[in-house]
Amino acid sequence: MLKRILSLLLLVSLSAPFAKADEGMWLPMLIKRLNHADMQKKGLQLTAEEIYNVNNSSLKDAIVQFGGFCTGEFISAEGLLLTNHHCGYGQIQSHSTPENDYLTDGFWAMDRKQELPNEGLFVDILVRMDDVTGKVLEGINNNTPEQERMQLTAQRMQAIAKEASSNGQYVTYVRDFFNGNEFYLFVYERFNDVRLVGTPPSAVGKFGGDTDNWMWPRHTGDFSMFRVYMSPDGKPAAYSDKNVPYKPKHHLPINIGGVEQDDFAMVFGFPGRTKRFMTSEGLKLDVNQLNKSRIKLRDKKLALWKEDMDKSDATRIKYASKHASTANYYKYSIGQNDGIKRMKTVEGKQADEKKFQTWADANAERKALYGTSLKEMNEAYAEIEKYNLGSVYLNEAVLGTEALLFAYRMSALNNALKSGNAEAAKKAAEDLQPRADAFFKDYSMPTDKKVFASMMKFYHEDIAKDQQPEAFKQLVAKYKGDFNKLADYIYSNSFVVDKQKVDKFLANPTQKQLANDPAFALVNSIMENYQTNIAPKLAAANAKLAKANRLYVAGLRQMNPDKVYYPDANSTIRLSYGSVKNYKPVDGVTYETFTTMEGVMQKEDPSNEEFIVPAKLKQLYEAKDYGRYANKDGDLIVNFITDNDITGGNSGSPVINGKGELIGLAFDGNWEAMTGDLVYDPDYKRCINVSANYVLFMVDKYAGASNLINEMTIVSTDSPGATEAGTATAATPADSSAELLNAAVKEAKADLAAGKSSVKVKKKDGKKSVKLEVKN
């Protein structure tokens, strides 16, 4: 048996064409038709079928949607899953206590029994996707009334998804693409037993904190590990100690050969939402209203949270995940506004729209179909602007206050109690109990009270008075605009901020008690006002906008028949491709492609919690004890950048080389290209990744979790399939390299079986050769 392959050298004559940034998040089932030839020119050595295949294992089988908000990838045949530290942060935080502070100290399961279950966490694994545009739009044309079209498409999407679910065996949905011009079905298996396996301390996983967030250069070990479990018969199942590790159809070999400028890279994952077909008026609305409001409200909330987090370890742990999540898009909004102005994006969109209007008006048929789409969009945006703050502040200020959000979650119980349906009320109360337990586990009433006073003051000052509920205005008048006194009244008299009172209420709920609760009454009045006076107006404007958008995008594609368009991201599985690439953020400055441990130590600041370096990591650095994970210069690569097109939801996505091997995982974008959701920046767009070398170094040398290393397939050089741990089975690239390696491995095994203690094998095929040295 092969115990250790000490060295492997594959010499291949390959051209390295100059690579430029590639815009687009592509549907994997369309790669063969749209992108494969271009990807090959940049260094891809896999066939399209090795990337996406319904009937045979392919890269897609190694990719999962993690919790519905991030991406993960299988890195062993035993269901071991890699994702970002910030993606698993909520689970890490939920298991942390002041006595077992996994956020600060990290956590490593040294055997399967130590792995920690996570209620509510799931992963979705793609089974297949299908183009169902013809089924959804059958009999529908541009003469179909819009309301009828909306009803028909919604009904058909639901029916197609239901049929594909096989009576609930699969999670299915149909999503629209190109603003309602195309439709695709997605079929997933959902696994609900996902256990925490390992995480570095936050001093590694969040190194640089908010200061470095969205910035390059970075030195962050943003990763965590989980394991997916299934029932003994191979089916998805709820948590049980009888479950066994999931056996993925494919897992990613991990290449620790390092990265260099212009190396091919693809990112495979679940990008969230982009709006790149948005017109200039929509961009102005996002910049001037949505982002400005989000920045203002989150800035205040973050400051209030941090103030109390700094005073108490218990509060710090409770609010760590909430603070990190809120801070992420607070900073993103700032960067996005700056980027839109720098790129003159609005002006560019206006020029494009002028060209479109000229094209549409040049032909009577086109004018009839597309001629008014821009005008109607502008009218819709003008109407949305009048009421949009009511929507933004509802989410950011009202429901962004924890007590009000929890009170709002009692609405279903309130409705059941009002209707007199005792069975429904009992069920609603039972459903609320675990939510209440989770809520109070991470809740500080004094902290939330300060947030409430601040958020309600902003709501009073910034929302048009005719859009505020009368009950709220009366409360403000009663307390003469003193929001601290208003907060005193709410938090002294509401039972929803007290765990014992909530438990007592849920044991015997009455509609009178809930209706009279001041927190519930306040949030209920704001919500009813929104649903009555604001939501209908926004819905009408958005319906008008949707039709105009659909026609505009259809017209664009018709106007430019030779251009290959990609659809906006919508949390469905996508692939982007590009290269390891440096960039110049400003004149006279070049940012290199990777950072090393040297930079971690240069940033160290023991007085700043964002830049603390754990003692053991310092020891490993001082000894230069990087093991096999150092590069050819003896340095340990921590992070690297590529020009892949990504957005939120791609967090945790694998960065894969041309042979289908993992070289890192995406965790951030760069400050200079925060416009990514709205417009692609070919000069500045970069994807920031944690190196596979740093991940394995932390697991192996720092944590000593050799049990995890041993189950991975680790590639020791840039050759496919060479392993230093686990199996010696080769990967399958699209050239003869795998055949050479497999032949060498086969010969080596035979020699070892014959009693030889060491083996040297050399195989040649034209310009390609492989040398294999093995010790038993």
Side-chain angles (χ1 to χ4, degrees), residues 509-706:
T510 66
Q511 200 273 327
K512 181 179 180 180
Q513 183 180 357
L514 183 54
N516 289 335
D517 183 89
F520 180 81
L522 175 58
V523 73
N524 195 48
S525 69
I526 293 174
M527 186 59 68
E528 286 183 349
N529 174 72
Y530 175 80
Q531 292 170 343
T532 302
N533 299 320
I534 298 174
K537 296 179 176 65
L538 285 173
N542 280 311
K544 183 176 182 177
L545 179 65
K547 177 182 178 180
N549 253 325
R550 173 169 49 80
L551 292 171
Y552 176 61
V553 172
L556 279 177
R557 297 172 78 189
Q558 185 179 332
M559 184 176 77
N560 301 302
D562 295 329
K563 181 175 180 178
V564 180
Y565 283 93
Y566 62 91
D568 270 319
N570 58 0
S571 295
T572 56
I573 192 166
R574 304 293 179 92
L575 184 153
S576 71
Y577 59 96
S579 307
V580 177
K581 188 71 66 178
N582 60 14
Y583 73 107
K584 297 182 178 181
V586 293
D587 183 47
V589 175
T590 298
Y591 281 158
E592 296 302 327
T593 55
F594 62 81
T595 60
T596 68
M597 268 297 296
E598 191 74 28
V600 175
M601 299 312 302
Q602 290 171 356
K603 287 183 175 179
E604 183 190 18
D605 181 357
S607 66
N608 185 339
E609 65 178 9
E610 295 183 339
F611 295 99
I612 292 172
V613 178
K616 185 173 182 179
L617 190 58
K618 289 176 67 173
Q619 293 170 3
L620 291 167
Y621 164 76
E622 290 165 357
K624 295 298 184 287
D625 186 7
Y626 303 146
R628 55 179 165 158
Y629 308 112
N631 66 7
K632 62 181 184 295
D633 298 318
D635 295 323
L636 178 62
I637 296 176
V638 176
N639 296 155
F640 66 95
I641 50 174
T642 65
D643 58 12
N644 291 87
D645 193 359
I646 65 160
T647 189
N650 271 127
S651 290
S653 294
V655 187
I656 302 171
N657 67 14
K659 303 179 185 70
E661 301 157 347
L662 183 78
I663 56 175
L665 64 159
F667 71 90
D668 212 351
N670 60 316
W671 180 257
E672 295 84 4
M674 292 293 91
T675 58
D677 286 356
L678 304 176
V679 62
Y680 180 80
D681 188 333
D683 297 319
Y684 292 108
K685 181 67 174 178
R686 291 297 182 272
C687 172
I688 303 176
N689 316 290
V690 58
S691 165
N693 295 56
Y694 193 52
V695 170
L696 297 192
F697 162 80
M698 289 299 304
V699 176
D700 191 352
K701 305 293 287 185
Y702 182 89
S706 58

Side-chain angles (χ1 to χ4, degrees), residues 17 53 59 173 180 233 275 609 628 700:
N53 195 306
L59 285 185
Y173 49 77
D233 63 357
K275 299 182 287 185
E609 65 178 9
R628 55 179 165 158
D700 191 352

Side-chain angles (χ1 to χ4, degrees), residues 132-149:
V132 294
T133 305
K135 292 181 180 179
V136 174
L137 296 181
E138 184 179 2
I140 296 175
N141 55 43
N142 290 318
N143 295 319
T144 304
E146 193 64 19
Q147 190 63 32
E148 181 181 346
R149 177 192 175 96

Side-chain angles (χ1 to χ4, degrees), residues 421-441:
N421 189 330
E423 190 64 30
K426 180 182 178 183
K427 178 67 165 58
E430 290 174 350
D431 290 344
L432 276 170
Q433 188 61 64
R435 283 193 164 196
D437 296 338
F439 173 75
F440 284 105
K441 177 181 180 295

Side-chain angles (χ1 to χ4, degrees), residues 87-383:
C87 293
Y89 201 73
Q91 285 70 43
I92 301 165
Q93 180 264 338
S94 71
H95 291 294
S96 295
T97 65
E99 295 74 30
N100 293 299
D101 189 352
Y102 298 141
L103 287 175
T104 299
D105 303 329
F107 165 81
W108 300 97
M110 297 303 177
D111 59 51
R112 303 282 168 84
K113 292 180 181 179
Q114 294 178 356
E115 295 174 357
L116 302 176
N118 301 280
E119 185 177 356
L121 180 62
F122 62 88
V123 299
D124 287 340
I125 304 172
L126 181 68
V127 177
R128 73 176 196 277
M129 56 183 296
D130 297 315
D131 184 349
V132 294
T133 305
K135 292 181 180 179
V136 174
L137 296 181
E138 184 179 2
I140 296 175
N141 55 43
N142 290 318
N143 295 319
T144 304
E146 193 64 19
Q147 190 63 32
E148 181 181 346
R149 177 192 175 96
M150 292 172 62
Q151 291 175 349
L152 284 172
T153 56
Q155 291 169 1
R156 292 172 181 178
M157 290 165 70
Q158 185 176 10
I160 292 169
K162 183 178 181 180
E163 182 181 1
S165 72
S166 298
N167 295 318
Q169 179 180 350
Y170 299 108
V171 173
T172 58
Y173 49 77
V174 176
R175 293 271 169 85
D176 73 281
F177 292 77
F178 294 111
N179 296 68
N181 285 289
E182 293 182 10
F183 298 83
Y184 288 81
L185 165 71
F186 295 84
V187 180
Y188 295 91
E189 270 196 306
R190 174 167 293 178
F191 290 81
N192 294 291
D193 187 354
V194 185
R195 306 181 195 179
L196 178 63
V197 173
T199 176
S202 290
V204 172
K206 285 191 66 182
F207 185 79
D210 292 338
T211 300
D212 275 4
N213 190 24
W214 302 110
M215 307 302 288
W216 182 258
R218 292 289 288 278
H219 301 82
T220 310
D222 196 348
F223 77 94
S224 58
M225 290 180 169
F226 292 77
R227 194 182 306 278
V228 178
Y229 281 77
M230 61 183 181
S231 66
D233 63 357
K235 302 295 183 183
Y239 171 79
S240 168
D241 57 9
K242 294 182 174 61
N243 285 348
V244 298
Y246 174 72
K247 307 291 184 183
K249 293 179 181 178
H250 183 78
H251 70 274
L252 298 178
I254 305 175
N255 189 305
I256 56 172
V259 295
E260 294 182 3
Q261 174 81 357
D262 294 329
D263 282 353
F264 176 85
M266 59 179 163
V267 172
F268 214 152
F270 291 83
R273 292 278 172 178
T274 58
K275 299 182 287 185
R276 293 186 182 168
F277 289 104
M278 179 182 280
T279 60
S280 58
E281 290 301 310
L283 281 175
K284 287 193 287 186
L285 190 64
D286 264 21
V287 168
N288 297 327
Q289 193 178 70
L290 173 62
N291 284 346
K292 282 187 177 180
S293 299
R294 180 181 285 162
I295 292 165
K296 175 181 177 177
L297 296 172
R298 293 195 172 196
D299 181 69
K300 185 63 176 179
K301 187 188 302 183
L302 288 166
L304 292 171
W305 281 350
K306 190 65 166 60
E307 182 180 289
D308 284 8
M309 290 169 71
D310 289 343
K311 295 176 182 177
S312 161
D313 280 344
T315 305
R316 173 182 57 80
I317 291 173
K318 287 178 178 181
Y319 280 80
S321 181
K322 289 178 276 195
H323 188 280
S325 176
T326 300
N328 196 42
Y329 271 87
Y330 157 73
K331 192 168 183 178
Y332 183 89
S333 297
I334 296 172
Q336 189 176 78
N337 277 10
D338 290 347
I340 291 293
K341 293 175 182 177
R342 173 181 55 79
M343 292 179 66
K344 299 186 183 300
T345 306
V346 171
E347 294 85 346
K349 290 278 188 179
Q350 289 171 335
D352 291 340
E353 290 156 21
K354 186 176 181 180
K355 292 177 184 177
F356 176 84
Q357 193 65 55
T358 300
W359 171 82
D361 291 343
N363 175 286
E365 185 177 347
R366 294 200 299 257
K367 186 173 183 177
L369 187 55
Y370 306 120
T372 62
S373 59
L374 283 170
K375 176 177 177 293
E376 290 174 358
M377 271 193 281
N378 292 344
E379 292 171 352
Y381 279 124
E383 187 69 10

